Structure formats: C-alpha cells, structure tokens
Amino acid sequence: MSPRRWVIAVWAGLCVAGMAATSALNGGPYADKPASPTEEPVPTGTYAVDCQEIADGIEQERAEADRERQEALNPSVTATYQARDTVKVMAVPEECAGELEDRGLKTH
C-alpha cells in the first residue's frame, strides 16, 4: 500500500471513530429511561410526605444539641469539653411549612 493511501485510510478511520464517539456521548447512558443531567433518579409519580415525622426528627436533633450544650457548660462534668460548631441544613418540602411553623421550628 502506498503511503498516500495509508494516510487516507487512517484519516477515514479516525473520522468514523470520531463520529461514533460523538454519537455515543450525545446519546446518553440510558436511552430508554428519562434521566436528569446529573444522572440522578427522576421522580416519576407522586410521593407521600410525612411532615409530622420530619418535624419530630428536627425537634429530636435540636433537643439533643441543647442537651450536649448544657452538659458542656455544666461545671460538675469531669469530661473535657472541646469547642465545636455544627451546622446542619435540611431541605424540607414546602407542604410541611405549616407543621414546622405550628411547632415553632421554622424560624429557628
């Protein structure tokens, strides 16, 4: 095979490989299932939200944090307290705003 034909054959092979790679990248991993751009599951139906359970969890975590804070400030505790700050952010469904507001958890 002459060098000229060899160069043309290699160039054509690279073009075909490039088109295949572009098609694969544009096609996405799951062509038959809807997916978000981050490939996280997309909710497809309605879901139940238990606002009381969410509010109970928030109240429990706050009570535990207050208890730990009081134990750290109590001089009779012999354990050494090391200062630490913890911030926790929760995303709560909008439907639960009323429940959190009724319990006084929304503005805290």
Side-chain angles (χ1 to χ4, degrees), residues 50-65 67 88 90 92 99-100 103 105:
D50 188 359
C51 295
Q52 290 180 343
E53 184 178 329
I54 292 171
D56 289 343
I58 293 172
E59 283 181 335
Q60 184 179 15
E61 287 186 25
R62 286 188 180 169
E64 186 177 318
R67 186 173 44 255
K88 185 171 185 178
M90 283 185 81
V92 178
E99 178 74 25
L100 296 178
R103 293 191 185 193
L105 300 172

Side-chain angles (χ1 to χ4, degrees), residues 49-102:
V49 176
D50 188 359
C51 295
Q52 290 180 343
E53 184 178 329
I54 292 171
D56 289 343
I58 293 172
E59 283 181 335
Q60 184 179 15
E61 287 186 25
R62 286 188 180 169
E64 186 177 318
D66 286 341
R67 186 173 44 255
E68 288 177 2
R69 192 176 312 116
Q70 290 301 322
E71 287 175 0
L73 296 174
N74 188 355
S76 65
V77 175
T78 58
T80 304
Y81 175 72
Q82 295 179 350
R84 65 179 178 154
D85 291 331
T86 304
V87 177
K88 185 171 185 178
V89 178
M90 283 185 81
V92 178
E94 197 171 324
E95 301 91 45
C96 297
E99 178 74 25
L100 296 178
E101 210 168 295
D102 290 345

Side-chain angles (χ1 to χ4, degrees), residues 18-31:
M19 288 189 296
T22 301
S23 174
L25 290 173
N26 289 339
Y30 309 102

